Amino acid sequence: MNLRQPNANEAIGTFNRSRNVAPMSGICTRCVDGCRGGCDIWLSSFRGREVLYPGPFGEVTAGADKDYPIDYSHINIQGYAVGARGLPPGIEGNPDTAVFNEVDTETEYGWDRKVKMKVPIFTGALGSTDIAGANWEHFAIGAAISGITLVCGENVCGVDPELVLDGRGKVSRSPEMDRRIETYKRFHEGYGEILVQMNVEDTRLGTAEYVSMRHELDTLELKWGQGAKCIGGEIKVRSLERALELQKRGYIVRPDPSKREVQQAFRDGAIKEFERHSRLGFVTKESFLEEVDRLRDLGFKRITLKTGAYSMAELAMALRYGSEAKIDLLTIDGAPGGTGMSPWPMMNEWGIPTFYLQSLAREFAERLGKRGMRVPDLAIAGGFSSEDGVFKAIAIGAPYFRAVCMGRALMIPGMVGKNIQKWIGSGELPKSVSKYGTTAKQLFVTYEELAEKYGREVEEIPLGAMGIYTYAQRFQVGLQQLMAGSRNFSLKSISRNDVMALTEEAARVSGIPYVMDAYRDVAEEILDG
């Protein structure tokens, strides 16, 4: 059985003509001379490298669809008829105190200086992509009023059209970065934070120095690898002048806009866009520890690290080096997940899947703990979208994992709300929306709650931000119900005993008890008692 269908996918606009395909290659079983399209091979025959990337770029986010042998659906949450763990000190559990709406969903991360969040989720890195930039007001304000952390991703300064560099080639002014940070700060209320992510080009351009000097941010995030999936294209540009500008700033731009034949192909209309890539990093223990010290010397109170679905060796490096550097959060991004722009084959076929990666991370954290080393607070990313998945991730990773980083699942509410705002303004609400009402007050169940809190300022909250807040509210209530059913009234009380593996293979990979073994000793004691 092939775990995915190669050679055709909606994400890259391709399809098989035949209803029967060869499982391994994805080629139609009857490939006809004269076929008018359109599998990957067919389209690649004249559009070439364009077919590597999901599209249309800037209008979609894409998520890989490979069906891995084990994922979080192979885990179920335990339910209990007795007990109440995690209640406030002095409160005894009973039917009147152990009610689901009193469940505490707050979490925190940090080595010494903690950051609290109202729910255990935060945004993926929203960096230099068109979607992140165009929707930033919705994403940033939505995260701020929801009380969660917002990650401002890599290359924001580097692709800023109004970027000003000083005589040393360092950032002296970046209006886009200023906009990103100031938008979040305006509605920030003490929960969550905005942190800026850095890759190789950001380091060379002096992004850390700029945000430290101009905005006095508390936290900076280092990144191992670049793009969403190690070597993602990240952004495309549609003008020759812009491509040359980014190349001059130090980025890898392909096709090479400085070549005469490429410029002619662009004028002919054959080449319609250019890809801007970042460079691969090269990690050593010494260079990592030195960089963390350098950033702390710049004034950053917290340093976090984001790493991807690399091999076991890199995972061990991240945990061990992060422990020695006393970083405040390590976010581990598993395969497949989604992205604004990464090569489609890489999204499906590269890296350790999230379930396996988290299981390894938890195993390695235990090993370091037994050696007397403190493990940084951990977060997992890679394909999460709902509260049940987050509960399972926190349980499987207990007591080390504090939160889940979510990409597309937190972007979608922002885009939905933004579009509702546009449709209200144009009087073109689709029936799927208008059946609930025709105004923001009628459509958003949280509108009056926010109006009560912010007064007239609620009118300055874009509906995309309201969409994220409304989604976060639903997430919180759903999580409270799952936690109450497992008799956990705070996140810290969730343990690995609160989940069970539905397959023996999932049990072997994760170390979570198989469903036919979980609590068997307790059950037999009751039966024989």
Side-chain angles (χ1 to χ4, degrees):
M1 181 182 68
N2 199 321
L3 300 180
R4 65 180 280 252
Q5 181 178 314
N7 199 39
N9 196 280
E10 182 188 11
I12 51 177
T14 59
F15 58 91
N16 288 107
R17 173 193 51 77
S18 172
R19 64 176 177 269
N20 297 114
V21 298
M24 181 173 176
S25 68
I27 298 174
C28 296
T29 52
R30 193 169 66 101
C31 186
V32 179
D33 186 2
C35 174
R36 298 191 177 189
C39 68
D40 291 13
I41 299 172
W42 181 89
L43 187 57
S44 298
S45 301
F46 57 99
R47 296 315 301 169
R49 63 188 298 141
E50 289 180 6
V51 188
L52 286 171
Y53 304 101
F57 178 73
E59 300 175 26
V60 301
T61 61
D65 58 1
K66 186 168 183 175
D67 190 7
Y68 293 114
I70 306 173
D71 62 21
Y72 291 84
S73 70
H74 291 230
I75 299 291
N76 258 29
I77 300 167
Q78 292 278 10
Y80 310 111
V82 295
R85 300 184 299 274
L87 287 169
I91 302 297
E92 183 178 347
N94 60 55
D96 294 316
T97 59
V99 291
F100 87 86
N101 55 291
E102 293 296 325
V103 169
D104 183 3
T105 62
E106 286 189 12
T107 191
E108 63 181 17
Y109 63 85
W111 193 272
D112 294 317
R113 300 176 177 88
K114 298 293 185 179
V115 175
K116 289 185 176 183
M117 297 193 297
K118 291 184 179 179
V119 285
I121 56 176
F122 60 96
T123 73
L126 300 165
S128 58
T129 62
D130 289 354
I131 281 187
N135 294 282
W136 185 258
E137 183 182 34
H138 305 277
F139 295 157
I141 296 175
I145 64 177
S146 299
I148 62 175
T149 287
L150 173 74
V151 182
C152 180
E154 56 195 328
N155 295 308
V156 171
C157 287
V159 304
D160 186 349
E162 299 179 44
L163 175 68
V164 178
L165 300 175
D166 62 20
R168 299 176 298 122
K170 305 295 185 181
V171 179
S172 66
R173 184 171 179 271
S174 176
E176 177 61 14
M177 179 63 79
D178 298 344
R179 177 180 79 94
R180 299 264 185 130
I181 295 172
E182 290 162 3
T183 302
Y184 180 85
K185 280 187 170 183
R186 180 184 172 193
F187 282 88
H188 181 244
E189 299 173 329
Y191 282 87
E193 64 175 341
I194 182 170
L195 55 89
V196 172
Q197 193 178 78
M198 295 234 308
N199 66 8
V200 173
E201 283 80 10
D202 289 309
T203 301
R204 291 179 176 180
L205 286 171
T207 297
E209 289 82 350
Y210 181 77
V211 298
S212 173
M213 175 188 66
R214 187 173 180 89
H215 297 284
E216 299 182 343
L217 286 191
D218 289 335
T219 309
L220 199 75
E221 180 159 281
L222 295 172
K223 187 167 187 182
W224 287 3
Q226 59 92 101
K229 293 290 175 282
C230 179
I231 193 167
E234 300 178 75
I235 71 166
K236 292 188 177 185
V237 295
R238 297 184 175 91
S239 80
L240 178 60
E241 293 74 18
R242 177 71 164 149
L244 289 167
E245 178 185 47
L246 293 177
Q247 187 179 59
K248 186 177 179 181
R249 290 180 184 177
Y251 288 105
I252 299 168
V253 181
R254 290 293 181 271
D256 187 343
S258 65
K259 290 186 175 180
R260 181 185 59 80
E261 62 270 27
V262 171
Q263 295 181 4
Q264 185 59 50
F266 183 80
R267 287 190 286 268
D268 292 343
I271 293 176
K272 303 180 186 303
E273 56 195 11
F274 298 88
E275 308 154 16
R276 186 235 56 201
H277 297 264
S278 294
R279 285 167 172 75
L280 296 174
F282 282 78
V283 179
T284 67
K285 181 178 178 178
E286 293 73 19
S287 64
F288 176 70
L289 295 178
E290 287 174 3
E291 180 66 1
V292 171
D293 287 341
R294 184 183 76 87
L295 295 174
R296 287 185 173 134
D297 289 342
L298 288 176
F300 291 100
K301 299 175 182 176
R302 285 181 292 272
I303 307 297
T304 65
L305 172 64
K306 172 80 174 288
T307 188
Y310 297 107
S311 76
M312 278 196 205
E314 278 79 6
L315 177 61
M317 288 163 56
L319 287 161
R320 175 68 190 243
Y321 301 173
S323 174
E324 293 190 28
K326 299 181 180 180
I327 64 171
D328 295 271
L329 181 69
L330 169 60
T331 301
I332 305 165
D333 191 2
T339 177
M341 179 188 165
S342 278
W344 187 243
M346 176 165 281
M347 289 176 64
N348 281 285
E349 305 299 336
W350 179 88
I352 301 177
T354 308
F355 185 89
Y356 301 81
L357 193 62
Q358 187 186 18
S359 298
L360 285 170
R362 204 269 175 187
E363 175 189 338
F364 291 177
E366 280 282 281
R367 182 165 179 163
L368 289 175
K370 289 177 181 178
R371 297 193 60 188
M373 299 185 69
R374 178 178 166 183
V375 178
D377 290 336
L378 305 179
I380 190 71
F384 293 95
S385 66
S386 60
E387 61 275 8
D388 53 289
V390 171
F391 182 104
K392 294 174 186 179
I394 290 175
I396 290 171
Y400 304 101
F401 282 81
R402 305 290 187 222
V404 166
C405 175
M406 300 203 308
R408 297 200 300 159
L410 279 170
M411 296 171 71
I412 291 169
M415 292 187 285
V416 170
K418 175 196 69 174
N419 286 315
I420 288 176
Q421 185 169 338
K422 180 178 69 175
W423 292 329
I424 290 174
S426 64
E428 298 175 346
L429 277 171
K431 290 183 179 180
S432 57
V433 178
S434 62
K435 66 180 181 180
Y436 297 102
T438 57
T439 67
K441 290 183 178 181
Q442 295 170 337
L443 291 170
F444 288 87
V445 296
T446 58
Y447 188 95
E448 292 301 337
E449 174 187 336
L450 292 171
E452 177 69 21
K453 180 176 182 178
Y454 293 102
R456 295 186 63 180
E457 199 175 12
V458 73
E459 297 176 5
E460 298 178 33
I461 296 176
L463 296 191
M466 199 170 290
I468 292 174
Y469 179 87
T470 306
Y471 169 80
Q473 184 200 64
R474 162 256 149 107
F475 180 97
Q476 181 180 43
V477 173
L479 183 59
Q480 286 176 317
Q481 293 171 341
L482 291 172
M483 290 174 63
S486 65
R487 303 297 175 120
N488 289 290
F489 288 82
S490 72
L491 281 173
K492 290 182 179 179
S493 69
I494 295 175
S495 75
R496 286 166 62 84
N497 293 328
D498 294 319
V499 288
M500 53 190 152
L502 302 181
T503 64
E504 291 178 311
E505 182 67 7
R508 186 186 69 81
V509 170
S510 66
I512 297 297
Y514 179 49
V515 60
M516 300 306 291
D517 298 325
Y519 287 110
R520 178 172 285 276
D521 55 342
V522 178
E524 290 178 347
E525 184 178 336
I526 293 171
L527 292 171
D528 298 337

